[in-house]
Amino acid sequence: QVQLVESGGGVVQPGRSLRLSCVVSGFTFSTYGMHWVRQAPGKGLEWVAVIWNDGSERYYVESVKGRFTISRDNSKDTVYLQMNSLRAEDTAVYYCARWGFYGDIDSWGQGTLVTVSS
Amino acid sequence: DAVMTQSPLSLPVTLGQAASISCRSSQSVVHSNGDTNLNWFHQRPGQSPRRLIYRVSQRYSGVPDRFSGSGSGTDFTLKISRVEAEDVGVYYCMQGAGWPWTFGQGTKVEIK
């Protein structure tokens, strides 16, 4: 079955960097675009970034542009989120999610918690 | 950016009764390919979101038929015909028509 497993979260000081990984299984990774979506504690969902199945295009929410980079390695069935210059407001559970075929998100990982605090 | 506005934000319901959640977009959610990319998700406490509805009204495999989606243009609705205990949690609409994709604030459904 489809599985998405995030890792790399933790506690980091403001201004520092962190890289999240999401390893997938159960489907042909290179066929699907992938998203990162985050959820601050007690808050709603916020879409963060997307990468095309072949890595040819990427888009970001305005608040992370220039600081976050989404990438993927189709040989490792893995999508990444490099997060630089982290801020307190980046504190959230970060979900890896699969871009379905209908302008949708059809699968989600379990999430990894990133806490930005001094 | 398309702002998605849900109402109500809190919805106490009686088991077996119907529930309805509204989602309005500040702009069209029709993709350039002509599809209306309006989706609904359900998130139970402590869990990841799970898919419910895509393209306004299409249920994913395994989603009970008591869930239905409707609407067009910028005005959409999720209905639960007879609420069951497992339906508690937060419901989100999301548009996938233009970047950035955006979610509604969420509607918390709880049992009276």
Side-chain angles (χ1 to χ4, degrees), chain A residues 39 44, chain B residues 6 9 21 41-45 49 87-92 105-109:
Chain A
Q39 186 169 36
Chain B
Q6 291 183 226
L9 299 184
I21 300 171
F41 301 91
H42 176 213
Q43 186 176 33
R44 296 188 179 106
D87 300 336
V88 299
V90 182
Y91 291 80
Y92 296 93
Q105 319 98 297
T107 295
K108 186 175 183 178
V109 172

Side-chain angles (χ1 to χ4, degrees), chain B residues 1-71:
Chain B
D1 300 358
V3 177
M4 310 300 289
T5 302
Q6 291 183 226
S7 62
L9 299 184
S10 179
L11 184 56
V13 295
T14 301
L15 287 173
Q17 295 299 303
S20 180
I21 300 171
S22 170
C23 175
R24 290 182 173 168
S25 174
S26 64
Q27 56 191 254
S28 171
V29 297
V30 177
H31 192 270
S32 56
N33 65 8
D35 294 326
T36 302
N37 291 344
L38 190 285
N39 307 277
W40 290 96
F41 301 91
H42 176 213
Q43 186 176 33
R44 296 188 179 106
Q47 295 187 13
S48 302
R50 70 173 184 120
R51 64 191 193 183
L52 281 180
I53 300 281
Y54 65 97
R55 283 189 186 165
V56 181
S57 60
Q58 304 301 304
R59 276 191 309 276
Y60 288 98
S61 173
V63 175
D65 61 7
R66 63 179 181 275
F67 290 94
S68 64
S70 63

Side-chain angles (χ1 to χ4, degrees), chain A residues 39-40 43 53 98:
Chain A
Q39 186 169 36
K43 302 298 184 181
N53 64 306
R98 190 176 78 171

